Amino acid sequence: MRARVPPAANGAYERIHAYVRRIPRGRLSTYGAIARAVGASGPRQVGYAMHALQAGSAVPWHRVLNAQGRISLPGTAGERQRERLAAEGVLPGRGGRYDLPRLGWIAPEK
DNA sequence: CGGCTGACTCTGG
DNA sequence: TCCAGAGCCAGCC
């Protein structure tokens, strides 16, 4: 069974979590954008950082989508993500795609 | 240290 | 718009 959520990991995880925590309610971001923003090695590491989150975490992981504006998280977990987004007024357009150009958020330079 | 997997992305047909 | 292939990389066995 995959990724057993290693506790410590590295500083990159903390930067990623901190960044995601800054995403405003009702806005979205992507794995790739976050990776570039925090200087992570790549989009996959962001995905790992999300996977490492515990239930009840303060990190709004549901606001993170893939570059195509779609939910990457498979299965029921993906459905929960969709519900969480809907709960804050973020709804997918046609084909389950979200309007990234409109709702995408990037942390201000400084 | 080798091999496999995956909450990615990009390019091309 | 959908699908395949390739590149990339960290974590686990």
Side-chain angles (χ1 to χ4, degrees):
Chain A
M1 312 294 236
R2 19 252 99 44
R4 254 195 266 132
V5 187
N10 48 29
Y13 275 34
E14 295 192 10
R15 291 202 302 282
I16 292 169
H17 292 164
Y19 186 93
V20 174
R21 243 192 316 271
R22 295 174 59 192
I23 301 174
R25 186 175 182 287
R27 302 297 295 281
L28 305 168
S29 190
T30 69
Y31 301 100
I34 294 170
R36 290 191 299 271
V38 306
S41 61
R44 299 204 120 128
Q45 187 172 25
V46 177
Y48 277 114
M50 294 297 100
H51 197 213
L53 292 173
Q54 302 172 32
S57 163
V59 180
W61 54 271
H62 56 283
R63 295 174 191 154
V64 183
L65 307 174
N66 63 31
Q68 298 176 49
R70 294 157 85 173
I71 291 174
S72 284
L73 186 52
T76 57
E79 292 177 30
R80 283 199 295 281
Q81 179 171 10
R82 179 175 54 72
E83 290 170 13
R84 279 171 174 275
L85 287 174
E88 41 188 73
V90 179
L91 300 173
R94 192 167 186 288
R97 289 151 120 284
Y98 291 84
D99 192 343
L100 233 34
R102 188 169 61 86
L103 300 175
W105 177 88
I106 295 184
E109 288 280 329
K110 165 50 188 155

